[in-house]
Amino acid sequence: MKKLLSIITFIAFAGIAMAQTPEEIISRMEAEMDKHKNEGLAMTMDLKIPIVGTVSSRTYAVGEKYRIEMSKDGNQSISWSDGQTDWNYDSEKNEVVIKKHEAKEKTETEGDVKMFDGITDGYDVKLEKETSETWQFRCKRSKSNPDKDAPKKMTLIIAKGTYMPVSLSASVSLITITMRDLVYGVTEEQVTFNPKDYPNATIVDKR
């Protein structure tokens, strides 16, 4: 009996020793994401807007090139960019509009993914919920955070085993943003406009 109690006590203390802090888990997540940063990324973003409701888009990005897909009321809108030229397809009009790209500091996906960086530096993190598959953290902007435009609160969910993010939600003004379903391994073909895919569409070149 004493031997059994000794084994149970050893396992209990070993479990405590192996327990990870929120900072360690999030740091591991950032390291895992950094490993795949050159592989291209796909991500769904949900924008919950008062009166309008929830608007979702799926973005695929490889370097400066990206494709953004949106659907509303049965109509589909797809945008491509290679950093120099933009293509915008409207299924309702069956039209592709080509324009010169307006220079930005980063592609939309690169800017959004940056929200996953430095969470432990700019936020006070607390484990809010844990299941057999995920950790859920409540992130509150710290007083020392120099970015006063950063969301005051965020909810981050990380998958156990892979340490990859499941989702990140934040409220900015009256809009709630949720980034989810992150997948690495996007190809050049997925982010390149191919006119052969839209043989019957009207092409409007505004460059």
Side-chain angles (χ1 to χ4, degrees):
M1 185 67 176
K2 288 183 179 180
K3 185 176 181 180
L4 178 60
L5 289 173
S6 297
I7 293 174
I8 293 173
T9 301
F10 173 79
I11 293 174
F13 278 104
I16 293 173
M18 292 175 63
Q20 301 174 87
T21 66
E23 289 76 15
E24 288 173 337
I25 295 171
I26 294 174
S27 178
R28 176 71 180 275
M29 177 202 74
E30 293 173 344
E32 290 299 319
M33 293 181 71
D34 193 55
K35 289 179 183 178
H36 302 282
K37 65 181 181 180
N38 296 322
E39 297 177 10
L41 172 68
M43 177 178 69
T44 295
M45 177 177 287
D46 300 323
L47 298 179
K48 188 176 181 180
I49 307 170
I51 301 176
V52 175
T54 301
V55 178
S56 297
S57 63
R58 182 75 173 167
T59 300
Y60 302 78
V62 178
E64 293 186 354
K65 301 178 71 172
Y66 63 83
R67 181 177 99 232
I68 302 175
E69 299 178 350
M70 296 182 65
S71 295
K72 184 178 180 182
D73 300 328
N75 296 316
Q76 186 179 39
S77 173
I78 306 176
S79 298
W80 296 261
S81 180
D82 62 4
Q84 297 181 339
T85 304
D86 294 341
W87 295 261
N88 297 283
Y89 170 70
D90 185 330
S91 66
E92 184 177 17
K93 298 179 180 179
N94 194 26
E95 179 181 88
V96 176
V97 177
I98 306 174
K99 294 182 179 180
K100 184 178 180 181
H101 180 68
E102 294 182 7
K104 296 180 181 179
E105 292 184 3
K106 294 183 179 293
T107 66
E108 293 186 32
T109 300
E110 288 176 320
D112 296 333
V113 171
K114 281 294 181 182
M115 290 180 66
F116 288 93
D117 294 340
I119 291 178
T120 53
D121 296 329
Y123 287 83
D124 299 320
V125 183
K126 179 180 179 182
L127 180 61
E128 188 174 53
K129 182 180 179 182
E130 181 177 358
T131 70
S132 60
E133 297 181 347
T134 63
W135 293 285
Q136 179 172 310
F137 299 99
R138 186 68 169 173
C139 312
K140 183 179 180 181
R141 190 177 70 194
S142 59
K143 294 181 179 179
S144 60
N145 191 330
D147 185 2
K148 300 308 176 184
D149 292 327
K152 292 183 178 180
K153 294 180 180 179
M154 301 191 299
T155 298
L156 172 64
I157 300 177
I158 300 175
K160 291 182 176 179
T162 64
Y163 285 87
M164 294 299 288
V166 175
S167 67
L168 178 63
S169 299
S171 294
V172 180
S173 298
L174 298 176
I175 300 175
T176 299
I177 303 170
T178 299
M179 289 169 281
R180 58 181 175 84
D181 300 334
L182 281 77
V183 177
Y184 286 95
V186 174
T187 65
E188 286 280 338
E189 183 179 7
Q190 288 177 282
V191 295
T192 302
F193 172 72
N194 187 348
K196 293 182 180 179
D197 294 333
Y198 306 89
N200 300 316
T202 301
I203 305 297
V204 180
D205 195 333
K206 294 186 177 182
R207 286 174 293 183

